[in-house]
Each structure stands twice: as structure tokens, then as C-alpha cells.
Amino acid sequence: MVKATSQHSASTSELEKNPDINAVETRTILDDAETTQLEKTVWWKIDICILPVVTMFYLLNWLDRTNLGNARVAGVQKDLKMTNTQRLSLNDITSPYLAAEIPSNLLLKVHTLSWTNTIILGPNVMLPALLTCWGLLQCFKALLVCRFFIGLLEGGVLPGLILYLSFFYPRRRLQSRISAFFSSASLSGAFSGLLATGIMKMGGRGGGFTVLFGLVSFFIFPRSPAHARFLKPHEREYVIATLREDGAISKEEANDGFSWAEVRKTFKLPQFWFLFVVYFLNGTIVFSLGYFTPSIVQGLGYSPIRTQLMTVGPYAFAFVLTNVASFLADRYRCRGFVAIFCAVCCTVGFTMFLVSNSKSVLYGSLFLTIGGINCSSPALGAWVANNVAPHVRRATALAALAMITNVGGIFSTWLMGFISPGPRYTSATITLLTFSVVMGLFIAMNLFYLYKQNKRKEVIRKTTQRSEEAEGLGDRSAWYEYIL
């Protein structure tokens, strides 16, 4: 025991001197009681210190992105003398997201100047910087410019946050943590209605909390588990060793370094292309509901203030459903099955909205569509982060799929606002119903592909030694089991 303690002290001392080295190649020998205790404490500590910050990031992001739906109900279109085309062009400013997402995710990993060994970038710098730079509006032109730069700055936020959490959590624990921040979009949908109601009562005046929180984040965001000051040295060591054993990070730091070859390999993965289709369909549904729910509810005959309050229910339900489903998905390692369930919810919800004329049924259908589509997003995000490795491949996949999601967002603004006018949005409802069915089919195809690949890898493991396998295979390794 004395010898084990001595080895432990030496390794943790080395970790503190140079947190990013490969010193933690072997796990400190711990008995079952010590391991159980660490399992109870380290993930809880990370949850308490990381998740609230990440959640607030995404909550502010989603509020800034979708508050125009509430603002339109509150009369901003009339106040700024905007035409319908001008109003739609504001939502169409998701285009800058497409330019920002892949570069942002590739830069999220710590970068240093080789000749000075000085760190110039890392998640603790990039994410707070993006948050701090979001702005204000006074007229349509100012609003248009503002929305453009919001898109450019926010483009890397969602894929960056998912990638950032994958630095801290093993694969089996990731979806419930993604859900914790992603379901804040559901709270955002609820709060934006309440917030809009309050702003309407105050005559349209808002605040600058986003900038303040961004500045504070520079001081509270750890760069990696090895730099997390809220963890004790032996806890940092345990987290890093667990992540390496799980495949969440590479056993060799060099394998997680930037390589254009790894970027290209991302686009050769079959699971990437299955989910490419899914993410476009998902993005169209997410943003159709995110942007237009207030208008849909108002079309049911409610007053503007009543409309803002009525949007709270479906998003509150989505918050609960998302977190319960994600807990079950982590517990039983069933990302794909949860995503299929979500597609079924959307299918049923859009069918109800299409065929019914009852006000209560139409409103009730929003619980299924908003709940289903919000529930699907953490499952899909975790599915990508869990099944693509090493780091550069994962970063590229998350960013590229976020890009196609925003293409769906661009399409949604024209589908709901121009191609299919309210209050019933009939053509749009048929389109989104079709998208829900096709989304479920492609999720099932990806699930089947990953299942077959796991069976193939199982056969290889029985006939091959790990030492015989080539280095740098990432998720193609026979010892990297895909999570279904």
C-alpha cells in the first residue's frame, strides 16, 4: 500500500507540472472501494462545475437565435416597418453558421506556438470569446447586420459544446450531459415566451446579461480535465485514465493532434452520411418549430400575451421528456432507439396537426412535435460523439453535421413563412410529417449498420491480438465498440 501511494504521489505530481503529457498511460492501482468512491465523486464534481456554465451558454445561444418569433408576435415587425421578405431574411441569417462551424471546432483543441510553447487557443478562450461578442439592434439594417454577426459568432457554439463535454465524460455518460444543456433550449422556448411577455409589459426594454456572462466565463472555464482546479490531482488522473480506456480520448496524445488526413477520413465514414440526412431533416423540424411556434399558437386564436404564455407548456414537457429519455439512453446505451422514438413522436404530432380542426388537439400536437424533436437532438449529438474517433475526426463530424442542420434551418424559414403561410401551414405540415418518417428510416439504417460493424469487430477480436492491429484506426479499430 505504501508503494502504491508513493507511485500515485509521483504520477499526480507529474500531472500537475504538465497536464497534457501522456504520463497518465496507466491507471493508478486502486481497490474496488477507492474506485467506487471516485466514480461517485468525480463525475458529480464535473457536473456541478461544468454543466451549469455550458447550459447557460446554450440557453443564451438559443434565446438569441429564436427570440424573433416572440418579437414578431410582440410587434417588432410593425415597429421596424419590415416587410415579410425582410422578416424572413432575418431568420435566413443562419448562413454565417455554415462558414464558422468546422473552423471553430478544429480550433477548439488547445493550440500552442511551437517556438514559445505559449497557449494561444483552447476551449477556455474560444467559447467565452464567442459568447461575449453577441450584440444589440435599433433598426432593420442594424438588426440585419447584428443577426449576421450573431450567426458568425454563434456558429461554433453547439458543436463546440458537445465536443467540449466529450473532453470530460466517458462515452456511456455523455448523452445525459448533452441533454442537460440541450434541454435548456426547451427551457428557452418556455422562458422566451415568459420573457417576451415581460418585455412587452415593460415596453420592449431588454438587458445585457449575455455579455456579462461571457466575460465571467473566461475565468471559470477549465481547458481540460487535467486543468480542472476543482478536481484533486488523483481525481484528474482517474478521469483522464477513464477517458482513455473508454476511447473518449486517444491513449496517445499525438493521435488527437490535427491532421488534414483525419478531416478527410471523416467524410468516408458510412455512419456520417446516414446521419448527414438525419441532421438536415432534424434541423428543418427543429427550426420550423423554434422560429414559428409563437405564430402557430397565435393562429389558434389567442391574444399576443396569451400566445406567449401558451408556448410555455410544450417546451416544459420537452424539457422533462428530453432528460428522462437521455438518462435511459445512457443507462442502456441505446441512442438510436431513443432517436427512433422521437421520430415517431414527431410523426404522430404532425399527423394530429394536419387532420384535426379541434383547437385543443392542434395545441396538444405541439407537445408531441416539440417534445419529440427536442428529445432527438441530444441522442443524435451523443451518437456522433460516441462513434467517431479520434479527436479531429469527431470535431469535423460534429461541425459538418451542425452545418447541414443549419441548412435545414435556412429551409425552414422559407417553408413556414413563405411557401406555406399560416395559420394552418398545411404544406409545411405535410413536409415536416414526411421528414419525420424519413428521419426515422435513416436512423434505423444507421443503427443496423453500427450493429453489423460491432458484430464484425467481435469476430476480429476473437482471432486477433490488439498488438497486431495498426495504429491510428480510431473508431475503425476492432476494439472500438460502437454505441447503438
Side-chain angles (χ1 to χ4, degrees):
M1 184 64 183
V2 173
K3 183 177 180 180
T5 303
S6 175
Q7 291 173 341
H8 169 73
S9 299
S11 63
T12 53
S13 175
E14 185 65 21
L15 180 67
E16 286 180 311
K17 292 178 183 177
N18 193 349
D20 291 324
I21 62 174
N22 295 327
V24 194
E25 293 177 353
T26 58
R27 201 166 183 159
T28 304
I29 300 174
L30 300 170
D31 59 36
D32 290 341
E34 289 174 308
T35 300
T36 302
Q37 185 59 33
L38 281 173
E39 280 287 310
K40 289 180 179 179
T41 58
V42 294
W43 310 119
W44 177 81
K45 282 187 175 181
I46 294 174
D47 287 344
I48 294 297
C49 297
I50 297 292
L51 283 184
V53 183
V54 170
T55 298
M56 184 56 70
F57 257 74
Y58 194 66
L59 179 62
L60 293 171
N61 172 276
W62 190 256
L63 277 170
D64 282 347
R65 252 185 114 163
T66 59
N67 58 11
L68 280 180
N70 296 102
R72 177 175 179 259
V73 171
V76 72
Q77 181 175 353
K78 180 179 178 181
D79 293 344
L80 298 181
K81 298 180 175 60
M82 293 159 51
T83 66
N84 285 330
T85 302
Q86 288 176 324
R87 176 180 63 82
L88 288 170
S89 70
L90 292 176
N91 283 339
D92 197 21
I93 302 303
T94 51
S95 303
Y97 277 65
L98 309 183
E101 279 164 331
I102 288 182
S104 177
N105 245 28
L106 292 178
L107 290 172
L108 196 67
K109 187 78 171 175
V110 173
H111 291 267
T112 60
L113 296 175
S114 57
W115 59 90
T116 63
N117 202 34
T118 301
I119 295 172
I120 58 172
L121 275 180
N124 57 314
V125 175
M126 278 202 63
L127 292 173
L130 293 175
L131 182 66
T132 304
C133 295
W134 305 340
L136 302 171
L137 64 94
Q138 290 181 352
C139 63
F140 170 70
K141 290 182 179 179
L143 178 55
L144 185 66
V145 172
C146 173
R147 294 286 288 179
F148 178 87
F149 283 103
I150 283 177
L152 195 62
L153 293 167
E154 288 184 354
V157 171
L158 176 56
L161 291 177
I162 295 175
L163 186 63
Y164 181 69
L165 289 182
S166 74
F167 296 168
F168 287 86
Y169 292 101
R171 294 188 297 155
R172 70 184 184 277
R173 295 179 178 271
L174 187 59
Q175 183 174 331
S176 56
R177 273 68 182 191
I178 293 175
S179 175
F181 86 78
F182 200 94
S183 60
S184 68
S186 303
L187 285 180
S188 168
F191 288 151
S192 62
L194 294 174
L195 183 62
T197 302
I199 290 174
M200 288 168 67
K201 295 286 190 182
M202 295 186 298
R205 296 183 293 275
F209 179 74
T210 300
V211 173
L212 177 62
F213 188 80
L215 292 172
V216 172
S217 299
F218 280 103
F219 304 99
I220 59 178
F221 242 47
R223 194 161 74 230
S224 67
H227 294 83
R229 296 186 180 277
F230 54 84
L231 294 176
K232 297 176 183 178
H234 71 283
E235 292 173 333
R236 299 176 208 162
E237 181 179 341
Y238 176 81
V239 170
I240 294 172
T242 300
L243 293 174
R244 285 180 174 160
E245 286 182 5
D246 181 65
I249 60 176
S250 297
K251 294 183 182 297
E252 299 291 335
E253 184 71 19
N255 291 338
D256 279 339
F258 178 78
S259 165
W260 283 112
E262 290 295 343
V263 174
R264 291 191 294 271
K265 286 178 183 178
T266 305
F267 300 101
K268 298 178 181 179
L269 299 174
Q271 66 263 39
F272 172 84
W273 291 107
F274 285 126
L275 291 178
F276 187 87
V277 176
V278 171
Y279 267 68
F280 170 74
L281 303 174
N282 178 274
T284 303
I285 300 171
V286 165
F287 289 110
S288 292
L289 294 172
Y291 287 144
F292 290 94
T293 292
S295 296
I296 293 170
V297 174
Q298 188 177 36
L300 300 180
Y302 297 107
S303 67
I305 291 180
R306 180 70 172 171
T307 292
Q308 308 290 8
L309 296 175
M310 291 293 287
T311 60
V312 174
Y315 282 102
F317 172 75
F319 175 81
V320 175
L321 180 64
T322 299
N323 283 288
V324 170
S326 294
F327 171 80
L328 295 174
D330 269 357
R331 185 180 181 88
Y332 298 106
R333 298 166 66 93
C334 56
R335 318 279 188 238
F337 292 105
V338 168
I340 289 174
F341 165 77
C342 297
V344 171
C345 286
C346 290
T347 301
V348 174
F350 285 122
T351 301
M352 290 169 58
F353 194 87
L354 182 64
V355 303
S356 178
N357 290 313
S358 167
K359 191 178 194 179
S360 58
V361 172
L362 294 174
Y363 178 67
S365 71
L366 296 176
F367 284 77
L368 287 174
T369 53
I370 292 173
I373 203 62
N374 278 272
C375 181
S376 71
S377 298
L380 295 174
W383 219 13
V384 176
N386 285 169
N387 294 326
V388 180
H391 167 79
V392 171
R393 224 180 285 177
R394 181 182 300 124
T396 305
L398 285 169
L401 291 173
M403 286 176 62
I404 195 62
T405 299
N406 284 304
V407 173
I410 294 172
F411 175 61
S412 73
T413 62
W414 296 97
L415 173 67
M416 295 289 288
F418 184 74
I419 298 173
S420 179
R424 288 303 303 267
Y425 301 98
T426 302
S427 297
T429 303
I430 295 171
T431 301
L432 297 177
L433 172 59
T434 304
F435 278 19
S436 299
V437 173
V438 176
M439 183 172 71
L441 292 175
F442 271 84
I443 292 169
M445 291 165 63
N446 188 56
L447 186 62
F448 180 73
Y449 169 75
L450 295 178
Y451 170 79
K452 296 294 289 185
Q453 289 299 303
N454 278 345
K455 289 296 183 183
R456 182 184 67 82
K457 291 181 178 187
E458 185 179 352
V459 172
I460 294 174
R461 290 196 299 270
K462 290 178 179 178
T463 58
T464 309
Q465 296 295 320
R466 191 163 191 170
S467 58
E468 298 173 12
E469 188 178 66
E471 293 291 329
L473 291 178
D475 59 84
R476 309 301 289 176
S477 167
W479 278 263
Y480 190 101
E481 185 179 358
Y482 292 126
I483 290 182
L484 303 180

